[in-house]
Amino acid sequence: MLFKLFKNNLKKYQKIVEKINEKEKETKNYSNGEIKENFLKLKEELKRGKTLNEILVDAFALTKEAAKRTLKQRPFDVQLIGGIVMHEGKIAEMKTGEGKTLAATLPAALNALEGKGVHIITVNDYLAKRDTVWMGQIYFALGLSVACLVHDNAYIYDPNYSQQNQINEENLDEERDTLGNFKVFNEFLRPVSRKEAYLADITYGTNHEFGFDYLRDNLVWRLEDKVQRGLNYAIIDEIDSILIDEARTPLIIAGPDEDASNYYKIFAEIVRGLDENTDYTVDEKTKTVSILESGIEKVEKKLGINNLYLPENMRLVHFLEESLKAKALFKKDKDYIVRNNEVIIVDEFTGRMLLGRRYSKGLHQAIEAKENVPIKREDRTYAQITIQNYFRLYQKIAGMTGTAETSAEEFHKVYQLEVLVIPTNKPMIRKDDPDLIFKTKKAKYEALVKMVKEEREKGRPILIGSTSIENNEIISQYLTKANIPHEILNAKNHEREGEIIAQAGKSKKVTVATNMAGRGVDIILGGNPPDQKEAEVIKQAGGLLVIGTERHEARRIDNQLRGRAGRQGDPGSTIFIISLEDDLLRIFGGDRLKHLMEQLHLPDDLPIQSKTVNKIINQAQIKVEGINFDIRKRLLEFDDVLNKQRSAFYKKRERVLEAGEKNEILPIIHEIASGFIEKTKNTLLLNIKNDPQSQDEIEKQIQALEAKLKQIPNKIDNFQSQLIGQQIVRIYDFLWIDYLEELESVREAVNIRAYGQHDPLVEYKREAYYLFQKLNQAIESMAFNVIFQILELNLEQTKAVSNAFSQPTKPSEEKYKNVGRNDPCPCGSGKKFKKCHGK
């Protein structure tokens, strides 16, 4: 159905492409100055009433010409089609090596002409910087500005800027390009504020950078501290990775709460003494752990208490649950690594380190205690949003990936996004062989070594993919034992990624990589830059061989790995060598396969290769994808409740902040005061009915409240207006933090109600509505008191309070002594000391 749909649209797109190519005959005669001049003239045409669709042909033709002149790359017709599809707010599925990065410049440049800003979302900081410099040449030729956001920093592309002599030796590893060179980024990226980066016509960055900036903007106490300028159009690279794979983890901004370090140390020690199946059970399918009666008894004995589940011990239950999860469900060198005495999360889908990200609700502290590294203080949530709901805030989103078709249903249901499969520029001749399945992991690895030896002798480069750092290193040990030279690529040595990938396409090169090599990576036959003679020899030998050593939970991730071979019509082949002991088959399909293997009476070292077996594996993957889709769907349904409240809350908060700064706070003062007085009067009048004897006292209280309204002046000064606005916003923030915690407790509690035949979502909606009403009443009540306290101050007192409020407390210099450069800054910013107060 999808392919039919695209075939019907193909003629429409081809007609537009013909017009662009016809226009090229004219643009190729322009001078560089005329390219820029004609492109910027299109802005004026938009102002005069033309639409983006009406200027698309001209904009695409000029962008195409700029790409030819700056990068010596002429976009193929299929790249133009991909660009049109993305401009329409759809997903373009383009195979590896088809030039998605270049295709995205076409809709980005067109939509940038509106002057509202275009955001291009990349999967990591490295690609954000690379694409800003690489594609920035095209935008610069068109008269557009381009910037990028990376962890803790922001830059703008400036071809006249050079800091070749200012490169910090300490940060060299962070600045490599695909060839392993250092200076390519620094030479053209000028450091700027995040606000300036957002003011650029086009801004590159990861989803985390954009999402966290949105949350931070809704925590500021001064409007000038906001950095974003609205969410207009986003082009999401590897859209399936960002909107699906990462959608189970919300973006959370948190601050330190009480120090629970000692408790986590105590419980880490306690759970070490608990045995699986005797004291607790693990469900690998749902990734949950449950403590048994014998386990509870052991814990109570260690703690010296009689009943762990008394209300006063609920905090201890929390420590136990997180510590058990840390022990049973989270594995070192798979889910996280330990580097420089710090626990760093590894993305299960990309294999990359998630710097700055921490597990929430104390889980990260529990893992730190388990690994015996310094424990950071437990956090309280200040703001949070799911990836899905953040991107649904944009006026228009589009995306590109090599593997979206298998998730087309989810894109349509959740985001109303259509997936269109773009034809390849040259026919795909890659060969995908059926899986080889062995009984044991040992037999699998031995077969892998044998195949690598044979294929390497033919002169083929080989890429071996694994799903974790741990398995990555096991494969390396087998290859080392067999005297096979190889490179290893995972989150532990990510700084050499560019260098390793640049050489991965050379003859006889063997590269063992996690999912890091599955996305945004182009392996070029003969190396990068390619040796054409060597490339021809490799093509004759069969091209790049990709060997997968485990099936991933999602078919898309396997397809991403396969996609490294066969770029731009090159020969290549892929195969998966797996075993019944692999996690996916053991948990979701092992019994059926094991029964089949036993019936065939095959020895351990003889594989089975059949369509029936592949069908079973495929069904296991579809089953897991279904489970994960349900988890994401449920997460979104619950977050949709909070999302409506969050949008209303942030809107009110910004209105108060803006009114305070513009000295337009009086209408809000009247609104809060009259609302609070009305509700209080209704409550007091109800009390009279219940207790007539208190009538006189209550009437006095009502008169006092009504007198308050008359105390509100007709005019107030700027200091008072700003102070009232800021103080009300502080009340908003203070109560919102408590509200998020309450709502989280409700969410956990409503799941139990399913046993009483109640729908947890319906219960959650009802409770959330009641709590939100309570939140608004609490804000009104506290704001009412603050307003009149400030109104009673004279001008000098107001200035003094206002100055005290706006001046941050200078931290004690003592705490900055003896802090290591790579240690967290004692100010609590979350940054390293060298990038904060140690600059």
Side-chain angles (χ1 to χ4, degrees), residues 707-731:
K708 284 274 188 191
L709 276 176
K710 292 173 186 172
Q711 290 174 22
I712 299 172
N714 296 322
K715 191 179 177 185
I716 60 173
D717 59 68
N718 288 336
F719 283 110
Q720 279 187 315
S721 176
Q722 192 172 355
L723 187 58
I724 288 170
Q726 288 175 332
Q727 291 288 20
I728 294 173
V729 161
R730 290 185 88 181
I731 291 165

Side-chain angles (χ1 to χ4, degrees), residues 122-127 130 206 208 238 241 246 334-337 344-355 357 467 469 489-498 501 514-522:
T122 62
V123 290
N124 58 56
D125 286 348
Y126 169 80
L127 291 175
R130 185 201 73 177
T206 65
H208 303 123
E238 307 295 3
S241 172
E246 295 197 30
K334 182 183 179 187
D335 302 296
Y336 63 90
I337 60 171
I344 301 170
I345 303 171
V346 173
D347 190 313
E348 64 173 307
F349 300 102
T350 65
R352 296 181 185 279
M353 292 190 292
L354 296 176
L355 295 167
R357 294 280 296 277
T467 58
I469 297 167
L489 175 61
N490 58 43
K492 284 185 174 179
N493 70 334
H494 72 108
E495 63 276 355
R496 291 191 58 235
E497 179 181 357
I501 292 300
T514 57
N515 296 335
M516 281 176 75
R519 285 190 187 271
V521 166
D522 208 359

Side-chain angles (χ1 to χ4, degrees), residues 174 250 282 367 377 396 403 465 472 565 591 603 620 766:
E174 299 169 18
V282 177
I367 295 171
R377 287 191 293 177
K396 178 169 77 171
T403 49
N472 200 242
D591 290 344
R766 187 173 57 78

Side-chain angles (χ1 to χ4, degrees), residues 540-579:
Q540 294 301 316
L544 176 69
L545 170 63
V546 173
I547 307 173
T549 56
E550 284 169 273
R551 283 290 201 162
H552 200 276
E553 286 184 356
R555 289 167 293 168
R556 289 176 297 97
I557 311 296
D558 291 342
N559 292 338
Q560 282 285 351
L561 182 62
R562 286 194 195 276
R564 299 311 101 197
R567 64 181 292 282
Q568 283 296 321
D570 283 345
S573 63
T574 70
I575 190 168
F576 277 80
I577 303 178
I578 58 180
S579 87

Side-chain angles (χ1 to χ4, degrees), residues 87 498 506 659 668:
H87 162 65
K506 293 189 79 66
I668 290 173

